[in-house]
mmCIF file of all heavy atoms in Angstrom:
data_model
loop_
_atom_site.group_PDB
_atom_site.id
_atom_site.type_symbol
_atom_site.label_atom_id
_atom_site.label_comp_id
_atom_site.label_asym_id
_atom_site.label_seq_id
_atom_site.Cartn_x
_atom_site.Cartn_y
_atom_site.Cartn_z
ATOM 1 N N ARG A 79 4.883 -14.283 -21.286
ATOM 2 C CA ARG A 79 5.886 -13.990 -22.233
ATOM 3 C C ARG A 79 5.206 -13.619 -23.620
ATOM 4 O O ARG A 79 5.705 -12.689 -24.320
ATOM 5 C CB ARG A 79 6.837 -15.172 -22.375
ATOM 6 C CG ARG A 79 7.789 -15.349 -21.321
ATOM 7 C CD ARG A 79 8.734 -16.506 -21.517
ATOM 8 N NE ARG A 79 9.753 -16.465 -20.521
ATOM 9 C CZ ARG A 79 10.515 -17.537 -20.182
ATOM 10 N NH1 ARG A 79 10.378 -18.660 -20.855
ATOM 11 N NH2 ARG A 79 11.380 -17.446 -19.268
ATOM 12 N N ARG A 80 4.122 -14.310 -23.954
ATOM 13 C CA ARG A 80 3.418 -13.963 -25.153
ATOM 14 C C ARG A 80 2.874 -12.628 -25.054
ATOM 15 O O ARG A 80 2.957 -11.823 -26.045
ATOM 16 C CB ARG A 80 2.255 -15.075 -25.537
ATOM 17 C CG ARG A 80 2.809 -16.331 -25.952
ATOM 18 C CD ARG A 80 1.673 -17.258 -26.191
ATOM 19 N NE ARG A 80 2.129 -18.587 -26.573
ATOM 20 C CZ ARG A 80 1.514 -19.776 -26.371
ATOM 21 N NH1 ARG A 80 0.407 -19.696 -25.763
ATOM 22 N NH2 ARG A 80 2.042 -20.852 -26.719
ATOM 23 N N GLU A 81 2.235 -12.255 -24.016
ATOM 24 C CA GLU A 81 1.696 -10.943 -23.769
ATOM 25 C C GLU A 81 2.800 -9.853 -23.843
ATOM 26 O O GLU A 81 2.577 -8.803 -24.475
ATOM 27 C CB GLU A 81 0.929 -10.889 -22.414
ATOM 28 C CG GLU A 81 0.299 -9.553 -22.149
ATOM 29 C CD GLU A 81 -0.363 -9.458 -20.820
ATOM 30 O OE1 GLU A 81 -0.632 -10.649 -20.207
ATOM 31 O OE2 GLU A 81 -0.738 -8.392 -20.424
ATOM 32 N N ASN A 82 3.894 -10.187 -23.224
ATOM 33 C CA ASN A 82 5.014 -9.258 -23.245
ATOM 34 C C ASN A 82 5.549 -8.961 -24.695
ATOM 35 O O ASN A 82 5.756 -7.819 -25.071
ATOM 36 C CB ASN A 82 6.188 -9.801 -22.373
ATOM 37 C CG ASN A 82 7.208 -8.768 -22.088
ATOM 38 O OD1 ASN A 82 7.069 -7.552 -22.277
ATOM 39 N ND2 ASN A 82 8.362 -9.271 -21.573
ATOM 40 N N GLU A 83 5.621 -10.061 -25.487
ATOM 41 C CA GLU A 83 6.045 -9.875 -26.796
ATOM 42 C C GLU A 83 5.088 -9.080 -27.653
ATOM 43 O O GLU A 83 5.418 -8.236 -28.479
ATOM 44 C CB GLU A 83 6.196 -11.331 -27.493
ATOM 45 C CG GLU A 83 6.720 -11.206 -28.903
ATOM 46 C CD GLU A 83 8.109 -10.591 -28.975
ATOM 47 O OE1 GLU A 83 8.937 -10.605 -28.087
ATOM 48 O OE2 GLU A 83 8.348 -10.048 -30.126
ATOM 49 N N GLN A 84 3.783 -9.295 -27.477
ATOM 50 C CA GLN A 84 2.720 -8.532 -28.115
ATOM 51 C C GLN A 84 2.883 -7.051 -27.760
ATOM 52 O O GLN A 84 2.796 -6.228 -28.621
ATOM 53 C CB GLN A 84 1.369 -9.028 -27.841
ATOM 54 C CG GLN A 84 0.249 -8.333 -28.518
ATOM 55 C CD GLN A 84 -1.151 -8.838 -28.217
ATOM 56 O OE1 GLN A 84 -1.298 -9.902 -27.513
ATOM 57 N NE2 GLN A 84 -2.113 -8.140 -28.756
ATOM 58 N N LEU A 85 3.027 -6.782 -26.473
ATOM 59 C CA LEU A 85 3.140 -5.380 -26.035
ATOM 60 C C LEU A 85 4.412 -4.715 -26.687
ATOM 61 O O LEU A 85 4.349 -3.484 -26.970
ATOM 62 C CB LEU A 85 3.148 -5.291 -24.504
ATOM 63 C CG LEU A 85 1.831 -5.670 -23.867
ATOM 64 C CD1 LEU A 85 2.059 -5.751 -22.316
ATOM 65 C CD2 LEU A 85 0.794 -4.716 -24.206
ATOM 66 N N ARG A 86 5.497 -5.488 -26.754
ATOM 67 C CA ARG A 86 6.668 -4.876 -27.397
ATOM 68 C C ARG A 86 6.482 -4.549 -28.879
ATOM 69 O O ARG A 86 6.921 -3.522 -29.306
ATOM 70 C CB ARG A 86 7.853 -5.878 -27.287
ATOM 71 C CG ARG A 86 8.511 -5.944 -25.953
ATOM 72 C CD ARG A 86 9.653 -6.893 -25.863
ATOM 73 N NE ARG A 86 10.236 -6.945 -24.544
ATOM 74 C CZ ARG A 86 10.950 -7.868 -24.046
ATOM 75 N NH1 ARG A 86 11.273 -8.863 -24.882
ATOM 76 N NH2 ARG A 86 11.412 -7.787 -22.846
ATOM 77 N N MET A 87 5.791 -5.464 -29.594
ATOM 78 C CA MET A 87 5.410 -5.170 -30.963
ATOM 79 C C MET A 87 4.570 -3.941 -31.080
ATOM 80 O O MET A 87 4.808 -3.093 -31.962
ATOM 81 C CB MET A 87 4.797 -6.398 -31.604
ATOM 82 C CG MET A 87 5.771 -7.541 -31.741
ATOM 83 S SD MET A 87 5.092 -9.043 -32.638
ATOM 84 C CE MET A 87 3.358 -8.872 -32.667
ATOM 85 N N GLU A 88 3.538 -3.819 -30.229
ATOM 86 C CA GLU A 88 2.688 -2.650 -30.283
ATOM 87 C C GLU A 88 3.383 -1.350 -30.017
ATOM 88 O O GLU A 88 3.216 -0.405 -30.612
ATOM 89 C CB GLU A 88 1.495 -2.833 -29.262
ATOM 90 C CG GLU A 88 0.493 -3.884 -29.648
ATOM 91 C CD GLU A 88 -0.471 -4.225 -28.568
ATOM 92 O OE1 GLU A 88 -0.519 -3.598 -27.478
ATOM 93 O OE2 GLU A 88 -1.360 -5.070 -28.778
ATOM 94 N N ARG A 89 4.383 -1.458 -29.021
ATOM 95 C CA ARG A 89 5.207 -0.278 -28.677
ATOM 96 C C ARG A 89 5.994 0.152 -29.913
ATOM 97 O O ARG A 89 6.089 1.357 -30.184
ATOM 98 C CB ARG A 89 6.028 -0.597 -27.485
ATOM 99 C CG ARG A 89 6.881 0.640 -27.032
ATOM 100 C CD ARG A 89 7.824 0.362 -25.914
ATOM 101 N NE ARG A 89 8.791 -0.527 -26.434
ATOM 102 C CZ ARG A 89 9.632 -1.266 -25.674
ATOM 103 N NH1 ARG A 89 9.668 -1.150 -24.430
ATOM 104 N NH2 ARG A 89 10.626 -1.946 -26.264
ATOM 105 N N GLU A 90 6.635 -0.828 -30.567
ATOM 106 C CA GLU A 90 7.417 -0.486 -31.812
ATOM 107 C C GLU A 90 6.626 0.100 -32.869
ATOM 108 O O GLU A 90 6.991 1.036 -33.573
ATOM 109 C CB GLU A 90 8.155 -1.783 -32.294
ATOM 110 C CG GLU A 90 9.255 -2.321 -31.440
ATOM 111 C CD GLU A 90 10.352 -1.236 -31.135
ATOM 112 O OE1 GLU A 90 10.703 -0.634 -32.181
ATOM 113 O OE2 GLU A 90 10.744 -1.119 -30.102
ATOM 114 N N ILE A 91 5.361 -0.390 -33.045
ATOM 115 C CA ILE A 91 4.456 0.220 -34.016
ATOM 116 C C ILE A 91 4.150 1.678 -33.667
ATOM 117 O O ILE A 91 4.115 2.542 -34.530
ATOM 118 C CB ILE A 91 3.172 -0.648 -34.175
ATOM 119 C CG1 ILE A 91 3.465 -1.958 -34.745
ATOM 120 C CG2 ILE A 91 2.098 0.063 -34.881
ATOM 121 C CD1 ILE A 91 2.344 -2.991 -34.697
ATOM 122 N N LEU A 92 3.842 1.902 -32.442
ATOM 123 C CA LEU A 92 3.615 3.244 -31.968
ATOM 124 C C LEU A 92 4.825 4.170 -32.154
ATOM 125 O O LEU A 92 4.670 5.362 -32.518
ATOM 126 C CB LEU A 92 3.078 3.336 -30.513
ATOM 127 C CG LEU A 92 1.745 2.691 -30.308
ATOM 128 C CD1 LEU A 92 1.362 2.534 -28.804
ATOM 129 C CD2 LEU A 92 0.608 3.477 -30.981
ATOM 130 N N LYS A 93 6.011 3.647 -31.848
ATOM 131 C CA LYS A 93 7.231 4.487 -32.101
ATOM 132 C C LYS A 93 7.330 4.828 -33.499
ATOM 133 O O LYS A 93 7.636 5.959 -33.910
ATOM 134 C CB LYS A 93 8.410 3.645 -31.617
ATOM 135 C CG LYS A 93 8.709 3.663 -30.150
ATOM 136 C CD LYS A 93 10.034 2.879 -29.987
ATOM 137 C CE LYS A 93 10.423 2.708 -28.516
ATOM 138 N NZ LYS A 93 11.657 1.991 -28.418
ATOM 139 N N LYS A 94 7.109 3.852 -34.416
ATOM 140 C CA LYS A 94 7.161 4.170 -35.836
ATOM 141 C C LYS A 94 6.167 5.226 -36.260
ATOM 142 O O LYS A 94 6.324 6.054 -37.145
ATOM 143 C CB LYS A 94 7.168 2.884 -36.619
ATOM 144 C CG LYS A 94 8.334 2.048 -36.520
ATOM 145 C CD LYS A 94 8.189 0.685 -37.292
ATOM 146 C CE LYS A 94 9.342 -0.158 -37.040
ATOM 147 N NZ LYS A 94 9.213 -1.460 -37.638
ATOM 148 N N ALA A 95 4.887 5.090 -35.713
ATOM 149 C CA ALA A 95 3.855 5.948 -36.115
ATOM 150 C C ALA A 95 4.203 7.428 -35.600
ATOM 151 O O ALA A 95 3.936 8.359 -36.284
ATOM 152 C CB ALA A 95 2.513 5.540 -35.525
ATOM 153 N N ALA A 96 4.831 7.516 -34.368
ATOM 154 C CA ALA A 96 5.219 8.823 -33.834
ATOM 155 C C ALA A 96 6.316 9.432 -34.795
ATOM 156 O O ALA A 96 6.306 10.666 -35.021
ATOM 157 C CB ALA A 96 5.659 8.602 -32.469
ATOM 158 N N VAL A 97 7.307 8.627 -35.200
ATOM 159 C CA VAL A 97 8.253 9.162 -36.012
ATOM 160 C C VAL A 97 7.734 9.661 -37.374
ATOM 161 O O VAL A 97 8.179 10.757 -37.883
ATOM 162 C CB VAL A 97 9.394 8.058 -36.254
ATOM 163 C CG1 VAL A 97 10.359 8.563 -37.388
ATOM 164 C CG2 VAL A 97 10.178 7.851 -35.014
ATOM 165 N N SER A 98 6.822 8.902 -37.958
ATOM 166 C CA SER A 98 6.331 9.328 -39.296
ATOM 167 C C SER A 98 5.388 10.527 -39.189
ATOM 168 O O SER A 98 5.133 11.172 -40.141
ATOM 169 C CB SER A 98 5.629 8.107 -39.958
ATOM 170 O OG SER A 98 4.411 7.731 -39.239
ATOM 171 N N SER A 99 4.813 10.788 -38.050
ATOM 172 C CA SER A 99 3.924 11.863 -37.946
ATOM 173 C C SER A 99 4.589 13.160 -37.376
ATOM 174 O O SER A 99 3.896 14.120 -37.131
ATOM 175 C CB SER A 99 2.723 11.535 -36.922
ATOM 176 O OG SER A 99 3.248 11.390 -35.653
ATOM 177 N N THR A 100 5.862 13.164 -37.235
ATOM 178 C CA THR A 100 6.574 14.327 -36.716
ATOM 179 C C THR A 100 6.461 15.482 -37.727
ATOM 180 O O THR A 100 6.542 16.657 -37.335
ATOM 181 C CB THR A 100 8.041 14.109 -36.343
ATOM 182 O OG1 THR A 100 8.676 13.533 -37.501
ATOM 183 C CG2 THR A 100 8.106 13.110 -35.195
ATOM 184 N N GLY A 101 6.297 15.241 -38.956
ATOM 185 C CA GLY A 101 6.155 16.347 -39.901
ATOM 186 C C GLY A 101 4.971 17.146 -39.596
ATOM 187 O O GLY A 101 5.044 18.367 -39.641
ATOM 188 N N GLY A 102 3.941 16.593 -39.163
ATOM 189 C CA GLY A 102 2.748 17.368 -38.771
ATOM 190 C C GLY A 102 2.946 18.170 -37.542
ATOM 191 O O GLY A 102 2.524 19.258 -37.393
ATOM 192 N N ARG A 103 3.719 17.598 -36.620
ATOM 193 C CA ARG A 103 4.084 18.359 -35.403
ATOM 194 C C ARG A 103 4.903 19.490 -35.712
ATOM 195 O O ARG A 103 4.751 20.618 -35.249
ATOM 196 C CB ARG A 103 4.761 17.402 -34.395
ATOM 197 C CG ARG A 103 3.843 16.370 -33.812
ATOM 198 C CD ARG A 103 4.490 15.530 -32.748
ATOM 199 N NE ARG A 103 3.645 14.445 -32.441
ATOM 200 C CZ ARG A 103 4.001 13.375 -31.916
ATOM 201 N NH1 ARG A 103 5.363 13.165 -31.862
ATOM 202 N NH2 ARG A 103 3.224 12.381 -31.583
ATOM 203 N N ASN A 104 5.942 19.292 -36.643
ATOM 204 C CA ASN A 104 6.759 20.421 -36.996
ATOM 205 C C ASN A 104 5.990 21.484 -37.635
ATOM 206 O O ASN A 104 6.354 22.739 -37.447
ATOM 207 C CB ASN A 104 7.893 19.965 -37.818
ATOM 208 C CG ASN A 104 8.904 19.081 -37.109
ATOM 209 O OD1 ASN A 104 9.009 19.233 -35.873
ATOM 210 N ND2 ASN A 104 9.698 18.257 -37.836
#
Side-chain angles (χ1 to χ4, degrees):
R79 283 183 175 164
R80 285 181 186 152
E81 182 180 345
N82 193 15
E83 182 61 29
Q84 180 179 355
L85 291 172
R86 283 184 181 159
M87 289 183 346
E88 289 172 0
R89 185 184 66 193
E90 289 300 317
I91 290 168
L92 291 173
K93 279 183 182 179
K94 289 177 184 177
V97 167
S98 67
S99 69
T100 56
R103 289 185 190 154
N104 288 339

